[in-house]
Amino acid sequence: MYSDLKYKRLLVFFKRYRFHIIPMVFHKVSLLLTFLRLKWRVFFLRMLSRGKVSNIVEIRNGFTFTRGGKISVGNNCYIGERVNFEISIEPEGVLTIGDNVWISHDCHITSWGSISIGNNVLIGEFTSIRDTTHNYKEPEIPIRMQGEKIGKIVIEDDVWIGRGCLILGNPEGLKIGKGAVIGANSVITKSVEAYTVVGGVPAKFIKRRGQ
């Protein structure tokens, strides 16, 4: 008798609130599936890269990376859609990303040497960061057979890199100083001083922040 009454009450409750309950359940399930997809990408990166990857990272659809590459990612980082980390195994390339870094969609980072990205860095979409380039000195030899010039890139804290930039490292080392701003579609081939704004192809000094 009690069980029948309980069943009827549940049935009445469900009929009365079904239009609220069903969407809520679907919403919760959708959130759970999204969370699991994001965490799966982080788990995949942690398992197949040779570095330290924080569990507090958001990685979006289409992310690819070199399996076995030495990649480290700090806390509270965002890696957008279709971002690619191409990290050399031999010679060994190293990519180190600090905390609170935002990498927008369709960015490409290639390291045969060393790339270090500090904390609180913003990287706009379609940006390419490469520490290595081709040798092309000898005109009689095909460029693809002349090997590579392996360099180093250091991007310090609080740097904002605009949309569509190309940053090319060199053997002497390229550094973008703390708080620098790189204008959209710029090409960076030389070091940038801290707290300066640069832009253009190749990038040139525009002003110092705060002036």
Side-chain angles (χ1 to χ4, degrees), residues 128-141:
S128 180
I129 302 174
R130 301 168 178 268
D131 65 9
T132 300
T133 187
H134 296 287
N135 285 310
Y136 56 89
K137 183 178 180 180
E138 302 297 334
E140 298 83 10
I141 303 174

Side-chain angles (χ1 to χ4, degrees), residues 47-155:
M47 290 295 294
L48 297 180
S49 64
R50 294 182 302 109
K52 184 178 180 180
V53 178
S54 170
N55 195 43
I56 313 174
V57 177
E58 181 176 346
I59 301 177
R60 307 303 295 184
N61 294 333
F63 170 68
T64 57
F65 66 97
T66 305
R67 297 185 182 185
K70 197 166 186 180
I71 303 169
S72 296
V73 183
N75 294 320
N76 300 314
C77 291
Y78 173 88
I79 300 173
E81 292 86 350
R82 298 174 299 280
V83 169
N84 180 36
F85 293 163
E86 183 183 351
I87 312 302
S88 174
I89 306 300
E90 181 59 44
E92 183 181 72
V94 179
L95 171 61
T96 304
I97 299 173
D99 299 332
N100 307 310
V101 173
W102 181 284
I103 303 176
S104 295
H105 62 84
D106 296 288
C107 289
H108 188 100
I109 299 178
T110 299
S111 176
W112 286 39
S114 173
I115 296 177
S116 174
I117 299 174
N119 302 323
N120 303 303
V121 172
L122 301 172
I123 302 176
E125 62 270 23
F126 300 105
T127 291
S128 180
I129 302 174
R130 301 168 178 268
D131 65 9
T132 300
T133 187
H134 296 287
N135 285 310
Y136 56 89
K137 183 178 180 180
E138 302 297 334
E140 298 83 10
I141 303 174
I143 294 174
R144 65 183 297 271
M145 299 177 63
Q146 294 191 44
E148 289 78 28
K149 289 193 295 185
I150 299 175
K152 178 181 179 181
I153 296 174
V154 175
I155 300 173

Side-chain angles (χ1 to χ4, degrees), residues 169-187:
N170 54 61
E172 294 75 32
L174 182 148
K175 181 171 77 171
I176 299 178
K178 182 177 181 179
V181 176
I182 313 299
N185 301 311
S186 297
V187 175

Side-chain angles (χ1 to χ4, degrees), residues 124-125 127 160-166 181-188 197-201 203 206:
E125 62 270 23
T127 291
W160 176 20
I161 300 171
R163 180 190 194 276
C165 291
L166 173 60
V181 176
I182 313 299
N185 301 311
S186 297
V187 175
I188 305 294
V197 180
V198 302
V201 182
I206 296 175

